[in-house]
Amino acid sequence: MSTPVITAQNLAKSYRVKGKPDFVAVDGLSFEVTAGESFGLLGPNGAGKSTTMKMVGAVSSRTGGSLSILGLDPDRYGPEIRSRLGVVPQQDNLDAELNARENLYIYGRYFGLPGKVCRERAEELLSFAQLEDKATAKVDQLSGGMKRRLTIARALINEPRILLLDEPTTGLDPQARHVLWDRLFRLKEQGTTLVLTTHYMDEAEQLCDRLVVVDKGRIMAEGSPATLIREHSSREVLEVRFGSDRNEQVAPQLAGIGDRVEVLPDRILIYADDGEAALERIHALGLEPVTSLVRRSSLEDVFLRLTGRSLVE
């Protein structure tokens, strides 16, 4: 087992609110991330993901528990830790006055790297990000996917041991997302430790070796995507629609079919090991759904079961 590069024990963060009890954003998180691992933080808005990332990134102090990054306490050794991290923020913050190559070069100089080293790494990273032909293009001339790849390339200029990615593909089209996934997978193959937050469950399944599902500042579940699906869902899910005005009427007749039945406004979900067999049982009851779909259970099913389907503002 590799030595952990991140260790959190009962990590907590709260904020003072005038006239009110302290707001607890992170409430006793404990986890470890090993070298070369791709680790995910999943959770709804307000779950404490970004706050945790800020503490791991040594830009926000904790109010409780312990935290070690590369063997150092971020509250005491913030600059040393930050020099070994790469950070990809949720929103691209590239310098619009500079072209792609200059963005990389100048950022490298912030780390105190010699000009020659910055130039060499800038060319290597432009190639890695598939942006060689956009080296002299200003940021405003780049597409969303190109800007995202450039932001990731910039985060690698100091050859970080850990790369923190906050919602790395938000707002990108499917093609751009897959190109970015490929770049991140290559980094993982090279031994870079990845820590990411994402709202895309398919992204978490593709990129994460292991992840934690966080809600209201606490860990709800932890494990590999396959383990979480196995522990918290069924092998398959049958989706049937009888019409929005009939779903609730029909639902009681489906009790006992599969492991669990969930009634939504537009459809009914039946969690079962064999979705086709569950559909046959529905037909045997004399019920004819308007539409039916059998699919494999996904991380999204796990996520919604653990954190709920209602919106939290």
Side-chain angles (χ1 to χ4, degrees):
M1 189 72 174
S2 300
T3 303
V5 292
I6 301 174
T7 301
Q9 290 289 335
N10 298 315
L11 185 63
K13 178 71 176 183
S14 59
Y15 297 94
R16 292 188 179 278
V17 181
K18 189 175 181 180
K20 297 181 180 179
D22 289 355
F23 172 73
V24 179
V26 176
D27 190 9
L29 299 190
S30 296
F31 60 87
E32 289 185 345
V33 182
T34 57
E37 185 177 25
S38 182
F39 182 81
L41 285 164
L42 273 64
N45 290 331
K49 306 185 303 298
S50 293
T51 301
T52 301
M53 290 284 270
K54 288 177 181 177
M55 289 188 283
V56 171
V59 294
S60 179
S61 61
R62 63 187 182 275
T63 52
S66 63
L67 180 62
S68 172
I69 312 298
L70 299 170
L72 300 173
D73 184 337
D75 284 357
R76 296 180 59 194
Y77 299 98
E80 290 91 335
I81 291 172
R82 289 192 292 272
S83 70
R84 305 182 200 178
L85 300 180
V87 179
V88 179
Q90 193 171 37
Q91 300 293 329
D92 294 323
N93 57 357
L94 299 163
D95 193 325
E97 299 299 316
L98 305 177
N99 64 33
R101 179 183 286 120
E102 290 166 344
N103 263 277
L104 299 177
Y105 177 85
I106 296 298
Y107 198 68
R109 295 293 285 161
Y110 288 151
F111 285 95
L113 299 175
K116 181 181 178 182
V117 173
C118 290
R119 283 189 289 272
E120 291 173 351
R121 290 186 186 174
E123 297 308 314
E124 292 171 1
L125 290 169
L126 285 170
S127 175
F128 169 80
Q130 297 179 317
L131 292 171
E132 303 103 309
D133 59 338
K134 298 293 182 180
T136 59
K138 290 292 184 67
V139 168
D140 290 343
Q141 297 173 310
L142 303 178
S143 68
M146 291 175 183
K147 290 177 183 177
R148 209 64 183 137
R149 297 205 301 276
L150 182 59
T151 301
I152 290 175
R154 186 188 63 177
L156 298 172
I157 196 73
N158 61 323
E159 297 185 330
R161 290 184 58 188
I162 302 173
L163 183 62
L164 306 178
L165 303 117
D166 195 2
E167 305 288 346
T169 65
T170 295
L172 300 186
D173 60 44
Q175 291 86 352
R177 288 178 67 209
H178 280 271
V179 170
L180 205 54
W181 288 355
D182 174 66
R183 300 297 100 179
L184 293 175
F185 188 76
R186 288 171 186 249
L187 285 175
K188 182 177 175 299
E189 286 185 319
Q190 295 166 13
T192 303
T193 303
L194 306 181
V195 180
L196 67 130
T197 70
T198 180
H199 282 134
Y200 295 121
M201 298 300 110
D202 57 339
E203 180 163 275
E205 287 191 60
Q206 288 283 338
L207 296 179
C208 295
D209 300 314
R210 195 165 52 87
L211 53 89
V212 293
V213 179
V214 181
D215 193 20
K216 298 177 182 177
R218 297 182 179 181
I219 292 177
M220 309 297 291
E222 179 177 359
S224 68
T227 297
L228 290 175
I229 292 170
R230 186 168 59 250
E231 291 179 350
H232 297 279
S233 193
S234 55
R235 190 170 70 88
E236 294 184 338
V237 180
L238 168 63
E239 299 188 5
V240 289
R241 287 179 166 87
F242 293 92
S244 56
D245 57 341
R246 291 194 61 222
N247 286 334
E248 288 203 22
Q249 292 179 336
V250 172
Q253 301 177 58
L254 306 181
I257 297 179
D259 302 325
R260 184 166 61 94
V261 176
E262 185 175 5
V263 183
L264 304 181
D266 63 329
R267 64 194 186 280
I268 299 174
L269 306 182
I270 298 174
Y271 297 86
D273 286 335
D274 188 336
E276 291 293 346
L279 184 58
E280 289 177 6
R281 290 184 62 184
I282 291 175
H283 289 312
L285 294 173
L287 299 172
E288 293 295 332
V290 177
T291 64
S292 62
L293 169 68
V294 176
R295 59 173 174 81
R296 76 175 183 89
S297 194
S298 70
L299 196 57
E300 185 164 321
D301 295 305
V302 174
F303 180 84
L304 291 172
R305 183 174 189 182
L306 292 172
T307 65
R309 292 180 178 271
S310 61
L311 289 174
V312 178
E313 299 296 340

